[in-house]
């Protein structure tokens, strides 16, 4: 038989361990096991490209805090309120708004990534500066004001947004602390309200500020974000995930207000406490936030297996059949994966007409840095031979090429300076770090702290999205529909190439590499391993999807 909640205020009443209460416990425990298993899976795959772009540490922190609140709400009926009113106040005032605030911050990631990827096409190469750590001691107010200024200049848009969220969390805590101290409902030294029964303690104006953040997110910031991402067409269904997470939380706030401040919900509150109205939305937010990337991880692993099997089958046929009758991997069927396009077709695209692939990778797959890296390395290798053919000074020519390579490393490879570093294996990265690490520290740390490099992420996330347009191109290397070419890249006074590659005129006294000696390990093959790794990943994934997308778009037209 179902028993009502303790009308005396839930202060250490008898536990509701009937069938209804036990069902709450079972659901909460089973769901929590699945929840933390999903969190662990994503954390173990945090370096996976699909997960890495989502800032998984912030994602897990936000849903983790929300889940603590969610679990405590599940336990309200079984425990029959076996906790003081003050504990419930702090749970409601901290876990819910902080969790929603952090969730709001991570939900901006799609918009920011899309904007920054678009900037990769339009903006000349940029990098994030490295700032030296502070010296010994804690410093005075002016020192910390200076450090805050440096942080603000160096951090990207996402970091600034997280900074605003942190300020909001501090304000939320201070407001809750003031309310707790001045209200007689929670203590004996308050100055407002009246001492009341534990049951009536759960009602009153003191609880309203705890859902302000939830209300603002669901009815103002969330819908505005939906409007801003309306033009994004990513292949990961990230936009759909963001929309569902926002819409799912909309009903909770008005229903909670009705449950707390109206008497008409009293019969419902006996079995379904007001805070339970947040549960459907919070569960939906958690599930879609964790399940969407997990599904794409498995889809990507499946695609890799199919590609590997297709290549193995092709090699076996090539070895066991007559060469004149062997099928090409570009024309044979590969099961569910369908037609695979050859590596030679990718080479042709990178060498002659990569604009459409660049736009597709940046705007739909959100990994345009891979295409930029491949093209820059190809240009570097081509320039190597032309530079030394015309060289009159071998040492100077070698330094020219080192600076060109350093520009590629700083803007696209180094994890600390690149806005979107390419995803390469650790041994390859370590080898490149041994060649360019010292020079990177000199170049990236040399910027004047009052005028640091503007990172690519400094683009405002509230600009109108640029709509992808498809145009017919007579000169397209592939006789299908092509994306529009990316706009020309404007020069910038903060362009890192001005500080890394410029060699016009006499040596600059402020040149950080003026007295730097080129490492002996540096040669034209310095990027070969990284190039091979990225090229294979682009060929098996991005290139296949791009060509299939072009073919399907052409068939529709």
């Amino acid at each position: 038989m179902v028993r009502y909640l303790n009308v005396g205020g839930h202060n250490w009443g008898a536990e509701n361990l009937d069938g209804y209460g036990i069902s709450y416990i079972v659901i909460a425990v089973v769901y929590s096991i699945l929840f933390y298993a999903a969190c662990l899976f994503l954390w173990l795959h945090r370096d996976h490209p699909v997960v890495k772009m989502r800032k998984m540490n912030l994602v897990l922190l936000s849903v983790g805090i929300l889940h603590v609140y969610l679990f405590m709400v599940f336990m309200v009926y079984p425990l029959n309120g076996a906790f003081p009113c003050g504990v419930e106040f702090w749970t409601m005032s901290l876990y819910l708004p902080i969790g929603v605030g952090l969730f709001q911050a991570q939900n901006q990631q799609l918009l920011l990534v899309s904007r920054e990827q678009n900037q990769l096409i339009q903006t000349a190469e940029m990098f994030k500066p490295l700032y030296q750590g502070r010296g010994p001691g804690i410093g005075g107010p002016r020192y910390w004001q200076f450090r805050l200024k440096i942080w603000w200049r160096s951090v990207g848009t996402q970091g600034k947004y997280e900074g605003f969220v942190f300020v909001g969390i501090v304000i939320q805590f201070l407001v809750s602390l003031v309310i707790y101290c001045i209200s007689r409902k929670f203590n004996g030294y308050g100055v407002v309200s009246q001492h009341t029964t534990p049951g009536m303690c759960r009602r009153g104006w003191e609880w309203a500020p705890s859902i302000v953040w939830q209300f603002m997110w669901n009815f103002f910031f969330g819908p505005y974000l939906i409007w801003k991402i309306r033009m994004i067409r990513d292949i990961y269904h990230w936009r759909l995930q963001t929309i569902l997470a926002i819409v799912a939380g909309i009903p909770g706030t008005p229903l909670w207000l009705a449950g707390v401040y109206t008497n008409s919900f009293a019969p419902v509150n006996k079995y379904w406490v007001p805070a339970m109205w947040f549960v459907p939305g919070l569960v939906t937010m958690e599930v879609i936030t964790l399940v969407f990337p997990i599904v794409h991880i498995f889809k990507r692993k499946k695609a890799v297996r199919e590609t590997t099997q297709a290549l193995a089958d092709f090699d076996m046929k090539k070895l066991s059949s007559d060469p004149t009758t062997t099928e090409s991997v570009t024309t044979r069927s590969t099961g569910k994966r369908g037609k695979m396009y050859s590596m030679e077709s990718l080479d042709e695209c990178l060498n002659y007409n990569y604009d459409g692939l660049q736009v597709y990778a940046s705007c739909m797959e959100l990994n345009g840095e891979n295409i930029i890296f491949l093209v820059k390395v190809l240009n570097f290798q081509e320039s190597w031979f032309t530079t030394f053919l015309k060289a009159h000074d071998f040492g100077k020519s070698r330094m020219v090429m080192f600076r060109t390579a350093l520009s590629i490393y700083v803007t696209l490879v180094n994890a600390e300076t690149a806005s979107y570093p390419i995803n390469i294996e650790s041994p390859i990265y370590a080898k490149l770090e041994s060649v360019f690490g010292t020079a990177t520290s000199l170049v990236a740390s040399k910027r004047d702290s009052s005028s640091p490099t503007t990172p690519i992420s400094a683009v405002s996330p509230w600009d109108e999205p640029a709509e992808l347009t498809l145009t017919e191109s007579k000169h397209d290397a592939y006789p299908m529909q092509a994306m529009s070419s990316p706009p020309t890249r404007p020069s910038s006074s903060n362009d890192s190439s001005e500080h890394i590659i410029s060699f016009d005129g006499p040596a600059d006294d402020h040149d950080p590499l003026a007295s730097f000696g080129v490492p002996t390990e540096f040669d034209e093959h310095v990027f070969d391993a990284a190039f091979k790794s990225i090229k294979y990943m682009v060929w098996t994934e991005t290139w296949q999807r791009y060509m299939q997308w072009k073919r399907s778009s052409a068939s529709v037209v």
Side-chain angles (χ1 to χ4, degrees):
M1 179 178 178
V2 176
R3 288 187 292 162
Y4 294 165
L5 290 172
N6 186 352
V7 296
H10 317 300
N11 277 358
W12 304 105
E15 294 84 356
N16 288 330
L17 296 181
D18 50 21
Y20 189 54
I22 293 176
S23 65
Y24 268 123
I25 297 175
V26 172
I27 292 174
V29 172
V30 172
Y31 175 66
S32 296
I33 293 174
L34 296 175
F35 171 82
Y36 287 113
C39 291
L40 179 61
F41 179 86
L42 288 176
W43 179 252
L44 294 176
H45 292 79
R46 61 188 179 276
D47 293 328
H48 194 282
V50 174
V51 178
K52 195 173 184 179
M53 68 175 67
R54 297 171 184 259
K55 296 201 70 171
M56 193 49 56
N57 55 344
L58 184 59
V59 171
L60 296 181
L61 178 62
S62 63
V63 296
I65 293 176
L66 288 176
H67 188 75
V68 172
Y69 173 78
L70 184 66
F71 187 86
M72 296 181 72
V73 172
F74 270 120
M75 293 297 104
V76 169
Y77 180 86
L79 295 179
N80 200 13
F83 39 80
C85 181
V87 173
E88 187 172 339
F89 171 80
W90 280 112
T91 301
M92 186 76 180
S93 299
L94 293 183
Y95 281 99
L96 180 62
I98 291 176
V100 171
L102 293 176
F103 190 84
Q104 175 183 350
Q106 66 88 17
N107 238 15
Q108 305 290 325
Q109 188 68 5
L110 170 61
L111 180 63
L112 298 178
V113 169
S114 178
R115 290 287 183 268
E116 292 166 3
Q117 286 287 329
N118 188 48
Q119 284 296 106
L120 286 177
I121 306 175
Q122 303 182 44
T123 308
E125 53 193 26
M126 308 282 281
F127 65 86
K128 297 182 292 186
L130 298 175
Y131 291 102
Q132 301 296 330
R134 65 180 182 87
I138 61 174
R142 295 187 61 184
Y143 169 79
W144 284 105
Q145 181 181 1
F146 172 77
R147 293 295 302 179
L148 179 61
K149 181 180 179 181
I150 293 298
W151 174 82
W152 186 261
R153 287 176 178 269
S154 62
V155 77
T157 305
Q158 176 68 14
K160 291 182 174 68
Y161 197 91
E162 293 170 6
F164 285 126
V165 171
F166 176 76
V167 173
I169 290 174
V170 173
I171 294 175
Q172 175 71 33
F173 173 77
L174 294 177
V175 170
S176 301
L177 181 62
V178 170
I179 292 176
Y180 182 83
C181 292
I182 67 174
S183 177
R184 294 191 182 99
K185 290 183 179 180
F186 307 117
N187 54 70
Y189 49 82
V191 295
V192 297
S193 297
Q194 300 295 327
H195 296 292
T196 183
T197 62
M200 294 304 297
C201 175
R202 269 72 178 183
R203 304 180 66 174
W205 63 270
E206 292 89 348
W207 299 83
S210 62
I211 53 95
V212 168
W213 209 327
Q214 173 88 351
F215 178 80
M216 296 295 293
W217 166 241
N218 287 331
F219 292 93
F220 292 97
F221 297 117
Y224 185 65
L225 178 61
I226 293 177
W227 172 257
K228 300 306 294 185
I229 64 175
R230 69 191 186 280
M231 299 304 300
I232 298 176
R233 298 293 185 271
D234 66 289
I235 67 170
Y236 310 107
H237 303 100
W238 199 352
R239 182 174 72 107
L240 175 62
Q241 171 192 327
T242 303
I243 294 174
L244 291 177
I246 294 171
V247 173
I250 291 178
T253 300
L255 290 172
W256 178 85
L257 290 172
V260 172
Y261 295 105
T262 64
N263 293 325
S264 59
F265 269 66
V268 179
N269 293 342
K270 296 176 181 179
Y271 316 104
W272 186 272
V273 295
M276 283 294 294
W277 292 113
F278 291 121
V279 169
L282 293 179
V283 170
T284 304
M285 290 162 60
E286 291 180 358
V287 169
I288 63 176
T289 300
L290 299 177
V291 169
F292 270 66
I294 290 176
V295 169
H296 282 285
I297 288 175
F298 281 109
K299 288 177 64 177
R300 184 162 181 171
K301 288 184 175 181
K302 180 181 179 181
V304 170
R305 288 195 302 268
E306 291 177 353
T307 301
T308 303
Q309 184 62 42
L311 294 176
D313 293 344
F314 176 75
D315 291 337
M316 290 295 294
K317 282 194 174 185
K318 187 174 181 180
L319 293 174
S320 60
S321 62
D322 182 68
T324 60
T325 61
T326 301
E327 288 184 291
S328 170
V329 73
T330 61
T331 59
R332 70 180 296 276
S333 173
T334 57
K336 295 182 180 180
R337 185 69 187 266
K339 180 180 292 186
M340 282 196 64
Y341 299 89
S342 66
M343 182 78 77
E344 289 75 13
S345 63
L346 173 60
D347 291 333
E348 184 179 356
C349 177
L350 293 175
N351 282 288
Y352 299 106
N353 188 18
Y354 67 90
D355 290 343
L357 177 61
Q358 176 67 72
V359 174
Y360 171 85
S362 295
C363 298
M364 297 186 69
E365 296 211 357
L366 307 177
N367 57 5
E369 67 278 1
N370 293 332
I371 311 302
I372 296 176
F373 174 77
L374 294 178
V375 173
K376 284 185 175 294
V377 171
L378 287 174
N379 293 336
F380 164 77
Q381 293 173 343
E382 181 180 354
S383 299
W384 181 278
F385 298 102
T386 57
T387 298
F388 283 98
L389 281 176
K390 304 175 181 179
H392 299 290
D393 185 336
F394 180 83
K396 183 176 180 180
S397 298
R398 183 172 168 80
M399 175 57 79
V400 168
M401 296 311 303
F402 178 78
R403 290 175 182 250
T404 304
L406 179 62
S407 176
I408 298 174
Y409 176 80
V410 170
T411 57
L412 294 169
V413 180
N414 186 272
E416 296 182 358
T417 59
S419 295
Y420 281 92
I422 59 174
N423 191 31
I424 55 178
E425 295 83 350
S426 298
I428 299 177
Y429 182 86
K431 186 175 181 179
L432 290 174
E433 177 69 17
S434 66
V435 177
F436 298 106
T438 303
T440 299
S441 300
L442 293 174
V443 171
S445 302
K446 192 66 176 180
R447 295 302 183 95
D448 185 87
S449 60
S450 63
S451 180
T453 302
T454 303
I456 296 177
S457 58
V459 60
S460 171
W462 310 119
D463 295 337
E464 281 297 320
E467 183 176 359
L468 285 178
T469 56
L470 302 179
T471 59
E472 295 290 345
S473 174
K474 295 181 180 180
H475 305 287
D476 191 6
Y478 306 95
M480 288 171 282
Q481 204 168 29
M483 282 182 149
S484 59
S485 300
T488 56
R489 295 177 178 175
S491 61
S492 169
S493 59
N494 283 331
D495 190 349
S496 61
S497 62
E498 295 180 22
H499 295 260
I500 300 178
I501 309 175
S502 177
F503 281 95
D504 298 331
D508 187 356
D509 293 336
H510 300 288
D511 182 3
L513 300 179
S515 59
F516 182 80
V518 178
T520 56
E521 301 89 350
F522 174 72
D523 57 21
E524 69 273 24
H525 302 293
V526 66
F527 289 118
D528 282 3
F531 182 86
K532 182 178 180 181
S533 175
I534 296 298
K535 184 180 178 182
Y536 182 80
M537 180 174 65
V538 169
W539 173 59
T540 56
E541 300 178 26
T542 303
W543 180 245
Q544 306 302 323
R545 288 191 290 261
Y546 170 64
M547 292 301 292
Q548 292 167 8
W549 176 83
K550 289 187 68 176
R551 187 171 293 277
S552 62
S553 299
S555 63
V556 171
V557 176

